[in-house]
Amino acid sequence: MKLTKKLFALLLALALCLSLGVCALAAEEDAETVDAISAVTSFTKTYVTAGGSGLVAAPAETLSFTVKSTGYPEKFTGDADALLAVGDGNTFEVDGETDIYTIPLTFNGGSTEGLAVGLYYFTVTENDGSSQGTAYGTGNAGSILYVTVLVEHSADDYETLIASIYLTDSTYTTKYEGLENTYTLGSLTMIKTVSGNLSDASDVFLVDVTFSSDLPVNSAITYDGAEATDTTAASGTVTLTADAAGGYTAAVTIAVTNDSEVLFSDIPAGVTYTVQEQDYTQSDINDANDGYDSPVYTVDADSVVTGSGAAQVVSGAIEAGDEDTVAIENTKGIEVKTGVSLESLPYILVLAAVVVVAAVLIIRKRRVED
C-alpha cells in the first residue's frame, strides 16, 4: 500500500508540472481512469430499481457513512479522521423522488487552515441501511470509495490550497463517480370470479389484504383495478407503519366483482402478505350477495392457504422480481332436478326392453291362438 501511494504521489507531481493527465491502468467496466486535471466536491448515489411499476425511483431513507483516514502528510498534526465530511454530518437524506442523488464532500470545512501540503487518503464507506428491499453497495465500487485529497502550495504566492479530490478504487488507479444501491420490488395480482346457476356477476365481495415487514418500508405500495364503493376505493396507496410488535404493517379492504383483477405494485422484496375474503356463506341461497359456497383459492407454489371454509387465509412473501397471483372463486347454485337419475337410467332401459319383449310375445301368442 505504501508503495502504491508513493507511486500515486509521484504521478500527481508529474502531472502538475507537465499539465498532463496521469497515465491510467486498465479501467474496470463502467469506470474511468484517474484524471489529475479534474477535481470533485461530491459523488453520486444511484438507485437501480429491479421490478415494480417503474414509478418508484428509490426508498425515502437516511443514508449514513463512515469516514476513515488511511494516510496523511507527516507534518499534519490534527485529527485526520475529522477532515473529510460526507453530506450533513456523514448522513444524507434520500427523498425517494429520483434515482440519482449528488452527495457533497467537504474537506476541512473548505478551509486550508491547519493543513500541511501533501496527499490525504480516506475511505468513505456507506453503512448498510434498513430499508426493506434495498441491497446496498451493488455497483462496481461496492460500498467503499477511496478518496485522495491533494493539498499544495500555489505557484504564484506559495499559499496553501486544496488542489484536487479524487474518488478511486483501492488501487488508486480507477475512478468512480459514486456508489450504487439496488431497490428490488414485486407485485401481487388478485383475480375474482363467480360461478353457478344462481350467482350474480354484479355481486360485490370485500377482501382484506394485509402487508407486513420486519424492516421499514420506505415507499408506498399502490393498487388499482378494484371496485369503488361507499367504503372502498378503486385505487390507492398502502403505507406500512410501525406496529406494537416491533414490525411494520398496513391493511386495506378492497371490493371486487366477477372478473375483477386488482394489481398491487411496488411491493419491496421481503414484504409478506395475507389475503382473506369476508364471509359470504352465512345466508340463505335466495339472499342477495350471499349464500355462496366457501371460496376456492388458487395460489402460486410459494404461497399457502390455511384454515377451512370461509375462514381460509392466503399467506405469501414477495421475493426479488415476484409477480404473485391469488385467484378467488365463489360458487352459488343448486342442482336442477330432471326427474330421472342418470345413475338409474341403465336399469330403466333394461326394464323397458323387458316390457317390450313381453308385449311382443303376448301378441304373437294371441295370433297363434286365433
Side-chain angles (χ1 to χ4, degrees):
M1 177 64 74
K2 291 183 178 179
L3 180 59
T4 303
K5 291 181 178 180
K6 289 180 179 179
L7 177 59
F8 184 61
L10 178 59
L11 290 175
L12 284 176
L14 289 174
L16 292 172
C17 293
L18 301 176
S19 297
L20 295 175
V22 174
C23 295
L25 299 179
E28 295 182 9
E29 182 181 357
D30 296 328
E32 300 174 350
T33 54
V34 171
D35 180 359
I37 305 302
S38 64
V40 296
T41 56
S42 62
F43 66 93
T44 59
K45 162 54 65 177
T46 302
Y47 281 84
V48 176
T49 303
S53 65
L55 300 178
V56 173
E61 61 179 333
T62 301
L63 301 178
S64 67
F65 301 87
T66 298
V67 179
K68 181 68 176 177
S69 170
T70 58
Y72 50 88
E74 185 177 355
K75 290 186 177 181
F76 176 74
T77 59
D79 182 3
D81 287 335
L83 284 175
L84 187 67
V86 177
D88 182 9
N90 293 336
T91 64
F92 184 80
E93 297 293 331
V94 173
D95 59 15
E97 298 296 325
T98 184
D99 57 357
I100 300 179
Y101 295 85
T102 300
I103 302 179
L105 284 172
T106 306
F107 183 70
N108 200 36
S111 169
T112 58
E113 184 178 353
L115 296 178
V117 295
L119 293 172
Y120 296 77
Y121 299 94
F122 303 89
T123 56
V124 173
T125 304
E126 180 182 5
N127 302 316
D128 281 350
S130 59
S131 181
Q132 186 69 277
T134 303
Y136 298 86
T138 56
N140 286 341
S143 297
I144 302 176
L145 285 176
Y146 292 81
V147 181
T148 303
V149 182
L150 171 62
V151 177
E152 64 177 3
H153 292 309
S154 65
D156 297 333
D157 52 17
Y158 209 67
E159 289 186 354
T160 302
L161 56 87
I162 302 170
S164 304
I165 301 178
Y166 305 91
L167 309 178
T168 70
D169 65 355
S170 60
T171 67
Y172 300 94
T173 58
T174 301
K175 185 177 76 173
Y176 291 115
E177 298 298 328
L179 301 173
E180 177 183 292
N181 294 342
T182 298
Y183 194 35
T184 305
L185 306 168
S187 65
L188 170 66
T189 300
M190 204 202 71
I191 300 172
K192 178 67 180 179
T193 57
V194 297
S195 60
N197 58 354
L198 297 182
S199 64
D200 187 342
S202 65
D203 280 349
V204 177
F205 300 82
L206 297 180
V207 180
D208 299 320
V209 183
T210 301
F211 296 99
S212 302
S213 173
D214 56 347
L215 297 175
V217 175
N218 295 317
S219 62
I221 299 169
T222 61
Y223 69 91
D224 190 28
E227 296 294 320
T229 68
D230 292 341
T231 57
T232 64
S235 61
T237 59
V238 183
T239 302
L240 278 72
T241 57
D243 57 30
Y248 301 83
T249 57
V252 61
T253 299
I254 59 172
V256 292
T257 60
N258 184 54
D259 289 337
S260 289
E261 190 167 312
V262 182
L263 174 63
F264 289 87
S265 302
D266 303 324
I267 308 171
V271 170
T272 60
Y273 62 83
T274 61
V275 176
Q276 183 178 31
E277 183 178 82
Q278 296 185 14
D279 191 357
Y280 294 91
T281 66
Q282 300 183 29
S283 298
D284 184 79
I285 199 169
N286 285 326
D287 290 345
N289 217 133
D290 212 329
Y292 282 84
D293 295 340
S294 298
V296 175
Y297 292 91
T298 303
V299 300
D300 298 324
D302 55 352
S303 300
V304 295
V305 181
T306 57
S308 61
Q312 295 175 90
V313 180
V314 175
S315 301
I318 297 297
E319 304 297 336
D322 267 3
E323 296 179 352
D324 286 8
T325 301
V326 174
I328 308 174
E329 181 180 9
N330 295 76
T331 301
K332 183 178 182 180
I334 59 173
E335 181 182 356
V336 178
K337 303 296 183 180
T338 62
V340 177
S341 171
L342 294 180
E343 294 180 356
S344 303
L345 184 58
Y347 304 102
I348 294 174
L349 293 176
V350 170
L351 179 61
V354 171
V355 171
V356 170
V357 170
V360 170
L361 293 175
I362 293 172
I363 292 172
R364 284 183 178 181
K365 182 177 179 181
R366 287 182 178 179
R367 285 179 179 177
V368 170
E369 291 176 353
D370 294 340

